[in-house]
Amino acid sequence: MNADRLPVRPGNVPPQSTLLDKRAIVTEAYTVIPKGSMTDIVSSRLPFWEDTSLWVLASPVAGFCSTFSHYLVEVEAGGGSEQPETEAGIQSVLFVTVGTLQLTINDTRHELRCGSYAYIPSGLEWSLYNTGAAQATFHWFRKPYHFVKGLDEPDVVVTHESQVEAMVTPGSNGGWTTKRFVDPADLRHDMHITIVSFEPGCVLPFLETHVMEHGLYVLEGKGVYNLNQDWVEVEAGDYMWLRAYCPQACYSGGNGTFRYLLYKDVNRHITFPK
Ligand code: UGY
Ligand code: MN
């Protein structure tokens, strides 16, 4: 990652002279939370977490997402939790963007750094601590695991984005790639967190319109996203949520790679209200 494209820390409230940020948008089909809207006064804390604060970027409140929650979490040096998850049946994916963290799952330790990915099945004992000298930042995706009779829950996965091959989308001349942390053919998984990248000038060239919902956090660069016919300019540090069937496409802008962390629910039958 280039130094000039490292994640920008959200946090400070801007001065009173600031013109209001016009990029925050909430519609029925999508939400945009620009990095300027993530200030310390709108962060949250969690039970049993020390020296930690977070922004809840997606949650199943009325009119918002239905399958997951997404937190952007900052942990001070020495902070963390022995009891991170207090709800039953919740699986997690962690993706680290700043600093170093020690993850312990069922007594096995894993050292996480910028670019580390961890999948933690529901029901396992785990803890997470910032073992570095500076603040650490990670993304935390939580989803109730959709059990299916005859399918086991997935195994623990701890890896790093440098270990994952970037799969080229056919027809994109290498300009549109996706890093998949779990095998798409492994149907035990009911959610995928991937990293989608577009080289400068490259595009997602059709209006994807699909049942899966998305959370997108821009990791690097900038681009213009088409969300249900609206063109929205986004850059590193911005968040988007797209409801099921929200039409979506994008152009990459600027002179560096435009890339984002993507949540997608997958691999399950449609369920019907009882
Ligand atoms: O796989 C996807 O749904 C992905 N291509 N969507 C997106 O990047 N908006
Ligand atoms: Mn999509």
Side-chain angles (χ1 to χ4, degrees):
M1 226 184 263
N2 291 345
D4 61 346
R5 287 190 276 125
L6 282 174
V8 187
R9 187 198 170 261
N12 294 341
V13 174
Q16 295 281 302
S17 56
T18 310
L19 293 180
L20 292 179
D21 190 333
K22 295 189 186 66
R23 297 190 305 123
I25 308 168
V26 176
T27 74
E28 276 184 25
Y30 68 90
T31 290
V32 178
I33 307 176
K35 65 181 178 203
S37 293
M38 298 169 210
T39 66
D40 290 333
I41 59 166
V42 296
S43 64
S44 304
R45 290 177 189 276
L46 285 173
F48 311 118
W49 279 84
E50 299 295 328
D51 296 325
T52 300
S53 66
L54 59 133
W55 289 276
V56 179
L57 299 178
S59 70
V61 297
F64 205 160
C65 68
S66 58
T67 60
F68 74 113
S69 72
H70 181 164
Y71 305 156
L72 175 58
V73 189
E74 290 184 339
V75 188
E76 302 302 328
S81 179
E82 203 59 46
Q83 199 187 337
E85 180 59 74
T86 51
E87 301 286 313
I90 306 292
Q91 59 186 333
S92 287
V93 164
L94 313 181
F95 183 79
V96 179
T97 52
V98 179
T100 53
L101 293 150
Q102 188 175 78
L103 171 67
T104 306
I105 309 174
N106 282 353
D107 296 329
T108 304
R109 284 186 184 171
H110 306 273
E111 304 300 329
L112 308 183
R113 62 187 203 281
C114 179
S116 290
Y117 165 104
Y119 172 79
I120 307 166
S122 75
L124 297 192
E125 295 286 318
W126 59 284
S127 68
L128 188 71
Y129 282 95
N130 178 353
T131 47
Q135 191 180 68
T137 305
F138 71 97
H139 292 260
W140 184 3
F141 298 87
R142 298 169 64 246
K143 179 181 185 302
Y145 182 64
H146 190 147
F147 282 94
V148 175
K149 208 170 159 192
L151 270 188
D152 291 332
E153 214 177 332
D155 303 317
V156 169
V157 178
V158 181
T159 185
H160 188 273
E161 65 157 301
S162 60
Q163 309 291 309
V164 177
E165 192 188 349
M167 307 298 292
V168 175
T169 306
S172 70
N173 295 324
W176 173 12
T177 59
T178 303
K179 285 189 175 184
R180 300 184 183 281
F181 293 96
V182 300
D183 181 355
D186 184 348
L187 298 190
R188 295 175 303 168
H189 285 277
D190 68 0
M191 70 167 160
H192 287 160
I193 310 299
T194 56
I195 297 178
V196 179
S197 299
F198 294 91
E199 294 311 313
C202 292
V203 300
L204 196 171
F206 71 106
L207 282 169
E208 287 186 8
T209 308
H210 50 65
V211 65
M212 308 85 161
E213 67 178 339
H214 279 324
L216 287 83
Y217 181 88
V218 182
L219 293 167
E220 286 187 48
K222 65 174 194 152
V224 189
Y225 233 96
N226 190 299
L227 301 167
N228 197 23
Q229 304 298 329
D230 300 333
W231 287 102
V232 180
E233 201 175 8
V234 290
E235 62 174 341
D238 292 341
Y239 184 74
M240 290 170 269
W241 164 74
L242 284 59
R243 57 153 275 178
Y245 299 110
C246 175
Q248 60 204 260
C250 70
Y251 282 84
S252 166
N255 54 13
T257 308
F258 171 53
R259 56 181 217 137
Y260 50 84
L261 200 56
L262 180 78
Y263 164 90
K264 186 174 185 177
D265 52 301
V266 293
N267 296 341
R268 289 296 180 269
H269 270 298
I270 303 309
T271 53
F272 301 97
K274 301 245 165 20

